[in-house]
Amino acid sequence: MKVTGKKSISSLIKMFLQILICTGIIVLILLPLLLKKYIQYINPVLDYYPALILLYVSGVPAIIIVYEFIKLFRSLKEDNPFIENNVKALKVSSICSLIIAIEYGVGIFFVTNSIFGIIVVGVFIIAWLGLYILSELLQKAIEYKEENDLTI
């Protein structure tokens, strides 16, 4: 299966991301109700308001990450991955990953002191570093492509 262009795996992933962003927005809207039910039935020791604040302030950057990935996969669908907008999308996603890591790092002390928070921090620190490095690599690839286009 093709990776770029129409009828490719990137088109399929883009559709999945669009479903994911819609679901994420619905979850953010219903978050107060969902969190109350979660606390009532699953984890009654969790403090409602600190958890709600943490989930909202980390949910917004998560939705931004998904949106930036939709933009990235749109360029793959158009078979034009070496553009500055993709570098910006990766950098914004890396910054949002760092924000989420910091929020959960602080949230470990105020909301929950579980292993889950530590895992989330670790995953998003790795995502931050990986996305930042990928953005720099893509920037270099764009520079080499432009240089090569001028040579020919």
Side-chain angles (χ1 to χ4, degrees):
M1 182 173 229
K2 294 185 337 180
V3 176
T4 61
K6 294 181 183 187
K7 295 185 179 179
S8 65
I9 195 154
S10 62
S11 298
L12 182 66
I13 294 171
K14 183 180 164 234
M15 281 193 312
F16 171 73
L17 290 172
Q18 288 170 334
I19 293 168
L20 187 65
I21 199 166
C22 291
T23 305
I25 291 170
I26 291 169
V27 167
L28 277 179
I29 292 169
L30 298 175
L31 190 58
L33 175 67
L34 295 172
L35 187 59
K36 280 183 183 178
K37 295 294 181 189
Y38 175 78
I39 290 172
Q40 181 180 4
Y41 294 112
I42 297 173
N43 192 356
V45 297
L46 188 65
D47 290 331
Y48 177 75
Y49 288 108
L52 186 66
I53 291 168
L54 178 65
L55 290 172
Y56 268 125
V57 297
S58 63
V60 172
I63 288 187
I64 292 171
I65 290 171
V66 175
Y67 176 72
E68 293 298 327
F69 272 64
I70 288 171
K71 291 188 331 188
L72 190 82
F73 280 98
R74 185 179 306 135
S75 72
L76 287 174
K77 182 180 176 186
E78 295 168 359
D79 207 11
N80 189 17
F82 296 106
I83 56 174
E84 286 292 326
N85 287 340
N86 287 350
V87 174
K88 291 177 188 173
L90 287 170
K91 285 188 179 180
V92 167
S93 297
S94 72
I95 291 168
C96 287
S97 295
L98 178 61
I99 290 169
I100 293 171
I102 291 169
E103 289 169 350
Y104 272 88
V106 171
I108 289 171
F109 299 107
F110 296 108
V111 179
T112 179
N113 55 0
S114 71
I115 191 73
F116 174 73
I118 297 168
I119 292 170
V120 169
V121 170
V123 166
F124 279 100
I125 285 176
I126 291 169
W128 163 57
L129 291 171
L131 289 168
Y132 183 77
I133 290 168
L134 281 174
S135 71
E136 293 298 318
L137 286 172
L138 184 60
Q139 181 66 47
K140 286 292 184 189
I142 290 169
E143 290 171 10
Y144 290 144
K145 180 184 178 288
E146 288 173 356
E147 186 178 305
N148 191 27
D149 288 345
L150 290 174
T151 311
I152 295 175

